Amino acid sequence: ITGASSGIGEAFARRLAAEKHDLVLVARSEAPLHELCDELMLKHQITAHYVVLDLSEPDADEKLFAETEKHGFEVDWLINNAGFGVREPFAHSDLAAEQAMLDVLVTAPMRLTHAALPGMLARGRGRVLVVSSMASFLPSGTYSAAKAWATVFSESLSAQYRHRGVHVTALCPGYTHTEFHERADMDVSGISEWMWLYADAVAESGLLACEEGRAIAVPG
């Protein structure tokens, strides 16, 4: 699970741990990952490893899968959840930030999925969940464009591999109570409470949709 230290990623970790899955959790911040792993191992009697990793790095996928191989893990679920947004309009945004966003939202899920799929197909079973967004259906800047890629990518792989037992799903939530908007310095005070989702419900919706083989899940 990438982006596992908080928000929807943490909700995925808690749900899968409760179902007795061993976990590899990925994020940039060590302290919350360490704390979450310790909590889930103690509570659910599972194995949980964490990998401190910046997914914008070009060799992030190799580092992560080297870690899974070192511990002898087979990847049954891959959850591409990590992400962030760039607030400024494109003409005035920082190009390095735009590139980093593409690296995390597009390149990392593509490379991680490419690494995980062969083993899943060989075993005849696997689940890949890509956290996209309702923004993928809207022309709203480069974040929307990246998420549109994530949605179509998931749809394409679902069509190709569903009959072989590998389900790929794009999870497309709307506004969700996480740290995402605060980290992006976005003012969301004008958005009505009825429009907001909760991370645990979003994670539940995504896991169920992927298990059922649905290409797109829109919670709420």
Side-chain angles (χ1 to χ4, degrees):
I1 306 172
T2 67
S5 60
S6 63
I8 299 172
E10 179 184 346
F12 281 129
R14 292 186 180 281
R15 285 197 163 269
L16 289 172
E19 295 175 7
K20 299 300 183 181
H21 288 274
D22 294 327
L23 302 174
V24 178
L25 307 182
V26 183
R28 292 183 299 172
S29 302
E30 181 172 9
L33 283 178
H34 193 171
E35 182 179 341
L36 182 59
C37 281
D38 285 349
E39 177 190 343
L40 296 179
M41 285 192 292
L42 181 63
K43 183 176 181 180
H44 299 292
Q45 304 301 303
I46 63 163
T47 298
H49 289 276
Y50 68 86
V51 181
V52 179
L53 197 59
D54 183 347
L55 290 174
S56 67
E57 296 177 356
D59 58 350
D61 60 311
E62 296 175 4
K63 291 179 179 178
L64 177 54
F65 274 85
E67 191 71 17
T68 64
E69 290 172 4
K70 182 174 74 173
H71 293 287
F73 289 150
E74 292 181 345
V75 180
D76 297 316
W77 281 85
L78 171 63
I79 300 181
N80 293 297
N81 168 74
F84 69 95
V86 176
R87 182 171 62 90
E88 293 79 13
F90 181 67
H92 306 289
S93 64
D94 179 74
L95 187 58
E98 294 281 4
Q99 184 62 63
M101 184 180 69
L102 281 179
D103 290 338
V104 173
L105 298 186
V106 175
T107 303
M110 181 272 291
R111 293 180 67 94
L112 292 174
T113 304
H114 192 267
L117 270 177
M120 293 179 175
L121 292 169
R123 293 188 294 272
R125 189 185 190 282
R127 304 288 182 260
V128 179
L129 190 56
V130 182
V131 178
S132 184
S133 171
M134 281 293 292
S136 70
F137 307 119
L138 303 171
S140 182
T142 51
Y143 179 82
S144 289
K147 290 299 188 180
W149 180 91
T151 297
V152 176
F153 173 69
S154 303
E155 286 183 288
S156 300
L157 295 185
S158 176
Q160 290 180 65
Y161 299 121
R162 182 168 40 201
H163 70 285
R164 297 180 61 180
V166 177
H167 298 173
V168 184
T169 298
L171 175 60
C172 301
Y175 294 111
T176 305
H177 286 295
T178 67
E179 298 173 2
F180 176 89
H181 300 96
E182 181 181 347
R183 289 175 176 173
D185 194 26
M186 296 177 180
D187 180 10
V188 293
S189 59
I191 300 172
S192 300
E193 178 60 29
W194 67 267
M195 295 182 66
W196 288 88
L197 303 169
Y198 289 88
D200 187 61
V202 170
E204 180 182 18
S205 175
L207 293 173
L208 177 62
C210 196
E211 194 64 73
E212 292 178 345
R214 287 185 272 142
I216 294 181
V218 179

